[in-house]
Each structure stands twice: as structure tokens, then as C-alpha cells.
Amino acid sequence: MRDEILVDIQHLSKLYPVETGFFTRTNLFVHAVSDLNLQIYRGESVGLVGESGCGKTTTGKLLVRLIDPTEGKIAFHAEDGVVDVATLRGKALKRFRRNVQMIFQDPYESLNPRMTIYDTVAEPLDVQGIGTLPEREERVAELLETVGLTPASSFMFRYPHELSGGQRQRVAIARALVVEPTFVVADEPTSMLDVSVRTGVMQLMQELADKLGVTYLYITHDLAVARYMCQRIAVMYLGKMVELAETEELLHHPQHPYTRALLSAVPVPDPTYKRKPMEIKGGISKPINPPPRCRFYERCPIADDFCRDNDHPPLEDKGGNHFVACYKV
Amino acid sequence: MRDKVLEVKNLTMHYTTRKGPVYAVDDVSFYVGRGESVGLVGESGCGKTSIAISLLKLLPDNAEILSGQILLDGVDLVPLSEDEMRRFRWRRISMVFQAAMNALNPVYTVEEQIIEAMQQHMPHLSDEEMHARVDQLFELVGLDPAFKNQYPHQYSGGMRQRAVIAMALSCEPDLIIADEPTTALDVIVQDQLLKRIREIQEQLNMAMIYISHDIAVIAEVSDRVGVMYAGHLVEMASTEAIFHHPVHPYTMGLMSAFPSIVGPKRELTTLPGEPPDLLNPPPGCRFHPRCHYATSICREKTPEFVEYEEDHYVACWHPGGEG
Amino acid sequence: MSEGTVATQHTYVPLWRVRLNLFLRSLRTNWALFAENPIGLIGLGIIIFFGLFALAHPILMNTVWPSKIYDPVSGYDMEVAFHPAPPSPRHLLGTDPLGRDVLSQLMYSTRYEFALGILSAVVTVVIATTIGAVSAYYGGIIDTLFMRLADLVIMVPFLPILIVLSALTEVGMIELALVIGILSGFGGTTIVIKSQALAIKVKPFIEAARVSGGGDFHIIFRHLIPNLLPISLLYMMFVVTGAIFSEAVLSFFGLTTIQMSWGIMINTTQLFGYLLRFDTWWLLIPASLAITTLCAAFYLVGRALDEVVNPRLRRR
Ligand SMILES: Nc1ncnc2c1ncn2[C@@H]1O[C@H](COP(=O)(O)OP(=O)(O)OP(=O)(O)O)[C@@H](O)[C@H]1O
Ligand SMILES: Nc1ncnc2c1ncn2[C@@H]1O[C@H](COP(=O)(O)OP(=O)(O)OP(=O)(O)O)[C@@H](O)[C@H]1O
Ligand code: SF4
Ligand SMILES: [Mg+2]
Ligand SMILES: [Mg+2]
């Protein structure tokens, strides 16, 4: 399972110009994602975690080519050869869309309120001209049953406002899976759902991954959810990936000071458990034209002059496929 | 039993809507001891905010308290007029509203807003005393008083939330109700704020009702926890008991559905079905369509909220899954 | 969530039938919302009344009203000594200075007012929705171009354009409808619809459609425009009001070549010097009342639709 690369991300960056005035051109940029490198293997699911604004969604959108990267390459290993996602266009882009799909965070906003569930789920088949009409209907019905909307016939022709949040998110999952993609970017698919419904959706996504061999990039700000959904976890801080390791390894032996602070701040649903406190200074800000040094320097409790005077540390293997970007570990 | 600041007895409140009444708070009874922190958990729409605004009697036009008592130090608030209520709000009970950090007025500085609240409720203070008090409050919630003359938009989310808490504390209430004060914040900021809230509450010996949908947060801040489901309070006990020996099937389900980053990675269980629609809730126990242990009596009669063990209340025909 | 489902479990219902049923169902629920608002019902009642009024005219002309006497344009009643004659059993609303029956004129004009209002509204909405959606979707130079054009159209007042136009060519009903439709379509309505389209464009379901493989055309016509239709429909009502009113003003000043309309009726009154005389009220009041009520009716319907379309305005 760990041998075949599906997505190979090389030096991926995305800068957004900062809007200042109406006519003034600026040279201020938000470095939403900068110099990201990551290999995703076929069949695994990788978690991307980090605080709000660290660039998780931007990364996800780059991978499905909703936005164009400023720099870098995303090699996608499709059945019929390797493509560079960043330069796809026309027919090739359309073919790529059959392989790669995305699930969005907000189940209330990601379904068109004027389209029935059938139309929404069949849309990818429709725009890509897959199958005949009866075939599409059959496929949609089958998929709705798979995601737990049974009987499919009673859901097919409802509108989104007639469904609960959990049901809508199931529809969104069905839409993403209808073209049988190999790779799915899931952007916080359960963060808007209630606990009692959330586990159902999480389990569904896992079952489908096993059954259909889907590879996920699972974006979340919740480490506990990532623990259950992912084999590996990548931690991002202000556009940079700071740590990458197997899930349990990362949770039990976090090495980057940011990961350690993050883990120590996660509340635990057990009143007798005492967390090891690890405080860091200040709050997260926007990476607008950041200095070249380590992005975490300002808040880091263990930083020294070396960190201040050098570039952002490279992501290095510290043994056992545990990658950390820090000079001090 | 200990000294109770607040005692709520059989409180029922509903909203009138075009499709019929929504019983958002239905026959709810509980108490809050002096200096105690009580957590209230439940999923979206189960009536947590509705309880809070009923306690303060800050109800929207279409809401009405139908029955029950709200005893604050023995005084029933339910029959009080709006004028009489005003003497209790802020001074005796105050509240941090859900999404309150977005409710700060953008055209006044944070200090001006806190002072305005104080002028209304503590008119006996002089100007200097008020300014000094703002400084104290800022330090209390962990904000640098140097920022007090800034406008809300110059604050980060976490700072704004602290400012709102400072405002709620300005009149030294006996009871503070915090409705999801950290939900919109990142974990690290949430963690800092939770610690602060807990410290303040203990330091001032102030009672607190802390509302959240996140049981992990509730575990951190509460002495006792009440679990709500579809307008009913279904279980209430010490935090320890709720987390280690829950007896209501819903609480039990919730506990095993919640992922944690510590301890062994256990199997998460899924509660079948969806939370009910409060416009036409299921008859009998409202949880019965999703309950493993439901029997015919559950489908017909609503279980009473009774003491199951000492100071452990539950509304269930088969607590702990027993027959 | 509990509403009945259209497709039942075992019988196969063809897709078009399902869609038809869904459409009828949405019509029913929207009607229920609309019907809750007395304002809208009053407006609709008035519109229906005028509709019947217009329909009744050809029937009357073919049965009880001989066209020699009652024709709205060329009729003349020789049996009445002096025109304009006050209301009488023969002429319920009297006659005009040229001896024509006022009631017949009023009824005859109604259908043209409707045609004018609806044609200009349809033209407006088709233009405004397409341009609004396209310039919101593409932004950039296309957007700037259309928005500057809109500013221009708004800045140049409407009546002077029509006055110049009427000097250059003959302005009949259809020309007028087209001009009103086009000006309002490229002007203010576009801006309103574009701002709505901007709000829809950033919704995640648009991104979801792109990830599904949908092209620009697909997204504009399948996602953007259907979500703009409610607001477009709303603006249609206001355009109707504006069009009827503009026609009246232009005709009053004699700037159109329309043979008969409510505006022309008032224009005739003025030409013969009866405008400000109370003793010949039947020349002025019926026509102006008709203009005001029909305009108001469309406006009221628009306001009621506003509540259906914008759930925020709705009471819970
Ligand atoms: N279209 C845009 N224009 C300008 N800046 C943007 C844009 N989209 C995102 N950003 C900025 O890029 C940074 C990363 O944003 P992103 O949405 O990827 O964060 P995120 O990790 O997904 O956060 P969240 O957890 O809040 O969803 C943020 O600072 C954000 O303000
Ligand atoms: N003003 C209102 N009019 C009618 N119904 C209302 C009103 N406010 C709330 N409700 C309904 O009452 C129920 C309880 O709402 P409440 O806001 O108390 O829930 P909550 O537990 O605070 O949820 P959340 O976690 O989403 O804040 C919900 O079903 C809600 O739809
Ligand atoms: S009363 Fe019955 S249905 Fe309700 S929780 Fe208890 S066992 Fe389940
Ligand atoms: Mg995001
Ligand atoms: Mg609430």
C-alpha cells in the first residue's frame, strides 16, 4: 500500500495579493501555501491539520485545480500516465475531473438549493456525458443507497432544504463518488455536523475508501477526527508544513514545538485526564510577506538566534518517516 | 444539600411559529450551587440557548414561558415584570451570548462599551472608579489594558471574546451564563481562554452555566453536567459520573461517539438516525427512535426526570440499559 | 423534510413527469407563501380585474356596442348634441371632446398597457439577468465594460432619450416597449441582479460544479441564472409599473404615435382644454385612476413577491 505514489506535490506555493486600495497595485502577498512538498500514496488517507487560516483549504483547492498555483508542480499518477495538475486544460482537465473530486465543508452551501438531489448527484455524469439517462438514474439510486439514504427513491427528488445536515453531507459524498474517482479531497466534511451524526459520516467515508479504493486528503482542524480518519497526518502552520508522520507516532511523539503546543491544547473528553500544559505566545496571524526565517519563530518557546538568522527549516526525516521542519529537534 | 444560587423547577418555554409551537425547553429542572460550574451539553437545536435566554427572560417576541419557576436565591423570576427583571440582569445574572464577539459595536472603543454597561447597572461608581475597573477586568480576562482604547475590529477573535467576557463580568454577577464562548476559536486560543474562565470563576467564587456542544470542553470546565436532548434535560450528574458512568442511553451513545486524541484508539459507535424535529417530536421518550433499549413504554410515556443515584438525575425508563 | 415524495417506490415514473410534479409542487408552496400576504392578494386582484376588463372589450364590441358609435378611435355618437357629454346610461363614463365613448377607450387601452408592460419587463429581465450573471461570473474587463455602460444609461435621463427618439422616428407601442426594456435592462436592473449574482458566485456549490467538470456555460445557465430567477421575477413587476407610467407621460406630451392609450386619453383632454376643469371630470379621472391603480397593483405584487423570494423578510 505504501509503495505506489498517487499524488506528488513539489514546491507548491500560492500567493494572494493583499487588497489595499482601488487603484494601487501592491507588492504585499498572503503566502497562503508556500513550498509545500508531499507524496500521497494510493489507497491511504492523509490528514491535513492546522489552525484557521493556515492554508488547508487553499492546498485542497490547488490539488483539484479550483485555483492555479503560483509556483510548483502537482504530479497526478492517473491510470493512463502522469499529468501535471497545474498545467491541465481543456479535454485533459475534464478527464482529470473524473479522477479527482472534492467534498466541501458546509453541507448547507455546497448543494444548489434549486436542484434536486438527483440532479446534484447526476451532475458530474451529466456534464461529462457518462452513460445514458436510465443508466445515470440507476447509478444515482445505487449510490444514494450506498451512502445510507434509503430508500433512494424517497430522496432522489427532494430539494436540499428538505434534508438534515448529515443527510446533505451524504449527498455531497455521493456526488463526489459518482464518477468513481481515485482521489478525493475532503475539506472538513464533518466539522459542521453534530456528534451523533458525525461518526456515521466518518464511518461511511472509511467504508467507501475500503470498498472503492479511494485515496483521501482529509482536511480538518480537529486532531481527534484526523486520528480516526487518517493513516498519516501533516501539520501546517501559516502556509508551511511543519510536521508529517504516521498518525499514532505524531500523536504520541510530536516533535515540532507547534505540534506539541497544538496537541496539548486539544481538550479531552475525560474529566480525570490532566493535560500537560505547553503554552505558546500570541495568536495566529496572516502570513503577509513573512520574513524568510522559520514561520513559527515569533511564537516558538524554544527558538534561538540560529532560528532567527536562517531560512525556514527544511522538512527532514528524523527517522521512521517522521518528518519535522525545525532546527531544534 | 449545598447552598443553591439558582434553582429551576419544571421550566417550559415554547416558540410560536407558523407551523406550530416549538417546545424548545420542556419541563426542565436543575440547580446551580454557589460558586459551582455547571455544563450544559447537547446538539445543535436541542434548546441550550433557549434555556439561557429563559433564565434571563430575554425572550424574542414569539417565545413564552408557559410554566415553571426560576428561583434566584429563592426569588422567583418568572412572574417579575421587565422593569424588575432589569435589576437582576447583569448585576445578579449576566450572560455571554453565542457569537457575541461579533456583536460588539464597531463604532465605539471596547472601553466605552464596557463603561456604558457599567453606567447602566452601577451608576454609583465615579468615572475614575469605572476606568480603574476596566483595567482590572482586562487583566482578569488576560487582555493587555493598553488595548482598551481600540475598536473591536482591531482585535482578533480571541481578544474580542475576552472583551465580551470582561463586559459580562463588569458588575460582578453571582451567576454567569456562557453560551458557546469558545466555539468559533482555534484550539490554542480556546485552551487559553478556557483556563482563564475557569480561574476567574474560582477566584470570584462565581457560579457559572457553561453551554457547549463539545463534550470535551464541557469535561474541562464543569463540576456538574446536564445533558440535553430535543428540549428535555435527560441526565444530570457530576462531571465524573457523566463521563465515567453515564446511564441515559443518549449520554452513553454520545460518550462513545466522541473521538479523543488520548488513550487507546477505541472503536467509535454511531447513533442511528437523526435528532428529531422539535415541531413534531416523537411521543413518549423523545430519544426512543434512536435508542437500543427502547421498549413499548418508551414509545408511549415520557419518563420523569428522577434521582437515580445520589445527585445523579436521569429521565429514562431503562437507565443504564436495565430492564 | 416530511413532504411527500414524488417517485414512489416500485412504479417507474419518467423523469419529465417527476419534474413537472416538482414544478407544480413548488408553485403550490410559493403560492401559499404569497397568499399569506394581503398586499399581494390585493394587487393580484386588481390585475385580474383589469385583465377581465381588457377581455370584455372585444366581446362588448361584438354584441351590444355598435362600432360606429363605440369604436374607441373612430366612433362618434350623433344622437348626443354636445361633446364631451357627461355620463349617461348610453355612455357610462360619458364621451370625449371628439364624441367617442370614454369607457370603451378605457377598456380598449387596457390590453395595450398590459402588452407594453409585460413586453418591456421581459426584455429587461432577459437582458439584465444575462448581463448580470455574465459580468458577475467573469468579472474583469467584461464586468467593467457593462457596469460603465449601466452607469451611463442611468445617468442619461430616460425621458430626454425618448423625446429625441420620437423626433427621429415614429415611436409606437412596440418601439416604446423595446426602448424601455433595453434601457432598464442595461441600466439599474443589471446592477441589482449583478450584485445578487456576485453573492451566488462565491457559494461552494459553484465550486462543486466546477470540480464536477462543468464549464462556464454550464455554471452560468444551470447554477447562476436559476438562482437569480426569483429576483428577476421580482424586478419584472417593478419594470411593468415603470413602463406603464412612462408611456402615460410620453403620450400626454404627444411624443408617441400610439392611437389610443390611457396617456392619449389624457392628452386629448388637454388638447381640447378640458384638463383642469372639474365639470368635465370624466375626461381625466377614469384614465388617471386606471394608470395609478394598475401601476400600484404591479408594485404591490412585487412587494409581496419580495417576501417570498427573500426569506429574511418573512415572519417565522
Ligand atoms: N481568495 C483569497 N484571496 C485572498 N486571500 C485568501 C483567499 N483565500 C484564502 N486567503 C488567505 O489565505 C490564507 C489561507 O486560507 P485558507 O482558506 O486556505 O485557510 P484554512 O487553513 O482552510 O483555514 P480555515 O480552517 O479557516 O478554513 C488565509 O490567510 C486567507 O485569509
Ligand atoms: N426565535 C425562535 N423562533 C422559533 N423557533 C426558535 C427560535 N429560536 C430557536 N428556535 C428553535 O428552538 C429550538 C432550540 O433552539 P436553541 O437556539 O435553544 O438551540 P441550541 O441548543 O442553542 O442550538 P445551537 O447549538 O445551534 O446554538 C431549535 O429547534 C430552534 O429551531
Ligand atoms: S426511556 Fe427508553 S427510549 Fe428513552 S432513552 Fe431510556 S430506554 Fe431509551
Ligand atoms: Mg478551510
Ligand atoms: Mg445555541
Side-chain angles (χ1 to χ4, degrees), chain B residues 199-259:
Chain B
E199 276 165 24
I200 294 170
Q201 188 252 328
E202 278 165 10
Q203 194 181 328
L204 303 181
N205 195 29
M206 178 182 64
M208 171 164 82
I209 298 179
Y210 192 100
I211 296 176
S212 177
H213 66 274
D214 186 337
I215 66 170
V217 169
I218 288 288
E220 304 247 323
V221 295
S222 333
D223 302 321
R224 272 185 321 124
V225 177
V227 181
M228 280 195 81
Y229 185 79
H232 286 257
L233 194 58
V234 295
E235 184 165 7
M236 186 142 193
S238 68
T239 309
E240 174 71 46
I242 287 284
F243 281 85
H244 293 305
H245 327 281
V247 293
H248 193 283
Y250 173 65
T251 318
M252 289 156 52
L254 209 55
M255 293 301 151
S256 49
F258 210 89

Side-chain angles (χ1 to χ4, degrees), chain C residues 185-255:
Chain C
F186 278 99
T189 315
T190 311
I191 296 185
V192 175
I193 290 186
K194 185 201 132 188
S195 68
Q196 186 81 6
L198 278 178
I200 296 167
K201 178 196 164 186
V202 296
K203 295 257 163 110
F205 66 78
I206 300 284
E207 291 187 327
R210 275 181 59 201
V211 176
S212 297
D216 295 351
F217 190 80
H218 173 82
I219 289 172
I220 292 175
F221 284 94
R222 202 71 182 91
H223 292 276
L224 218 46
I225 289 186
N227 281 287
L228 288 174
L229 281 184
I231 190 127
S232 305
L233 189 70
L234 176 71
Y235 274 84
M236 259 177 92
M237 298 300 143
F238 299 138
V239 173
V240 172
T241 301
I244 294 176
F245 189 74
S246 311
E247 184 275 333
V249 173
L250 287 174
S251 295
F252 173 75
F253 287 119
L255 294 173

Side-chain angles (χ1 to χ4, degrees), chain A residues 9-319:
Chain A
I9 305 169
Q10 298 283 349
H11 306 291
L12 188 65
S13 297
K14 176 73 188 176
L15 311 191
Y16 287 112
V18 178
E19 309 234 345
T20 44
F22 209 55
F23 295 108
T24 46
R25 288 279 291 274
T26 80
N27 48 8
L28 290 180
F29 292 94
V30 178
H31 292 232
V33 172
S34 75
D35 195 17
L36 187 90
N37 296 287
L38 174 67
Q39 283 75 45
I40 299 173
Y41 297 93
R42 199 178 281 277
E44 74 170 341
S45 72
V46 179
L48 198 57
V49 300
E51 288 175 285
S52 180
C54 70
K56 306 183 295 293
T57 300
T58 307
T59 309
K61 286 185 181 170
L62 286 168
L63 291 188
V64 300
R65 191 60 198 289
L66 264 175
I67 48 179
D68 297 338
T70 312
E71 244 174 78
K73 265 171 70 168
I74 305 165
F76 179 76
H77 295 246
E79 258 109 69
D80 49 357
V82 184
V83 291
D84 181 8
V85 177
T87 57
L88 283 177
R89 46 177 58 246
K91 273 227 176 70
L93 182 60
K94 221 165 195 175
R95 206 165 334 113
F96 170 75
R97 300 243 181 260
R98 293 181 66 154
N99 280 320
V100 177
Q101 284 293 315
M102 182 156 179
I103 301 169
F104 295 84
Q105 174 173 15
D106 187 346
Y108 292 86
E109 299 265 279
S110 66
L111 305 180
N112 185 338
R114 312 214 135 244
M115 271 163 71
T116 61
I117 301 312
Y118 168 76
D119 287 325
T120 299
V121 177
E123 182 177 37
L125 302 177
D126 201 19
V127 291
Q128 307 197 19
I130 302 171
T132 61
L133 225 98
E135 277 168 10
R136 286 180 204 162
E137 249 186 282
E138 200 177 313
R139 173 107 185 92
V140 171
E142 189 187 294
L143 206 58
L144 288 180
E145 305 252 341
T146 316
V147 297
L149 296 173
T150 45
S153 56
S154 86
F155 285 96
M156 282 248 248
F157 297 104
R158 290 202 202 171
Y159 284 96
H161 69 91
E162 296 167 313
L163 303 185
S164 70
Q167 290 172 333
R168 289 180 204 209
Q169 204 55 300
R170 285 167 195 266
V171 172
I173 292 173
R175 168 179 55 197
L177 295 180
V178 75
V179 289
E180 303 185 335
T182 40
F183 180 51
V184 173
V185 173
D187 189 2
E188 314 228 21
T190 59
S191 68
M192 311 266 290
L193 304 178
D194 275 319
V195 201
S196 76
V197 199
R198 189 165 75 188
T199 30
V201 173
M202 281 163 62
Q203 267 163 9
L204 170 71
M205 291 186 63
Q206 254 161 351
E207 278 165 28
L208 292 171
D210 294 344
K211 203 158 90 189
L212 310 172
V214 183
T215 305
Y216 288 116
L217 179 76
Y218 197 97
I219 296 174
T220 175
H221 64 271
D222 187 338
L223 273 158
V225 169
R227 181 185 190 192
Y228 279 85
M229 295 303 298
C230 311
Q231 281 94 46
R232 285 192 300 154
I233 293 180
V235 180
M236 280 185 81
Y237 184 79
L238 291 186
K240 290 277 189 188
M241 195 197 294
V242 295
E243 189 159 2
L244 169 70
E246 303 274 333
T247 302
E248 293 299 315
E249 163 73 13
L250 186 104
L251 294 181
H252 294 116
H253 310 287
Q255 299 199 8
H256 195 281
Y258 174 68
T259 315
R260 299 207 325 254
L262 195 62
L263 278 170
S264 80
V266 177
V268 171
D270 180 353
T272 45
Y273 182 84
K274 287 283 162 276
R275 290 190 274 125
K276 285 184 230 90
M278 155 140 181
E279 299 229 352
I280 53 172
K281 302 160 265 178
I284 202 163
S285 58
K286 271 197 181 194
I288 297 173
N289 285 16
R293 62 163 172 256
C294 177
R295 290 271 163 98
F296 190 55
Y297 174 78
E298 279 76 15
R299 298 175 72 191
C300 184
I302 57 169
D304 62 12
D305 291 353
F306 187 77
C307 302
R308 188 191 57 212
D309 302 333
N310 282 280
D311 282 357
H312 186 88
L315 196 67
E316 278 172 351
D317 192 346
K318 307 276 169 168

Side-chain angles (χ1 to χ4, degrees), chain B residues 15-17 22 24 42-51 60 62 98 179-180 213 278, chain C residues 316:
Chain B
Y15 297 100
T16 315
T17 68
V22 173
E43 294 175 287
S44 176
C46 71
K48 304 180 297 293
T49 302
S50 302
I51 288 195
N62 64 338
Q98 195 165 1
D179 191 0
E180 311 249 11
H213 66 274
L278 280 180
Chain C
R316 269 175 173 272

Side-chain angles (χ1 to χ4, degrees), chain B residues 180-195:
Chain B
E180 311 249 11
T182 63
T183 299
L185 305 174
D186 278 325
V187 261
I188 292 181
V189 187
Q190 162 173 295
D191 184 47
Q192 294 162 351
L193 199 56
L194 284 181
K195 277 196 196 111

Side-chain angles (χ1 to χ4, degrees), chain C residues 110-128 158 171-186 189 232 235-244 247 258 294 298:
Chain C
T110 310
R111 75 176 96 145
Y112 292 101
E113 306 292 343
F114 268 108
L116 168 89
I118 289 169
L119 180 60
S120 49
V122 168
V123 171
T124 302
V125 159
V126 169
I127 296 176
F158 191 57
V171 182
M173 232 7 147
I174 295 191
E175 291 84 359
L176 188 62
L178 290 179
V179 170
I180 295 176
I182 290 171
L183 285 183
S184 136
F186 278 99
T189 315
S232 305
Y235 274 84
M236 259 177 92
M237 298 300 143
F238 299 138
V239 173
V240 172
T241 301
I244 294 176
E247 184 275 333
I258 298 166
L294 192 59
F298 275 103

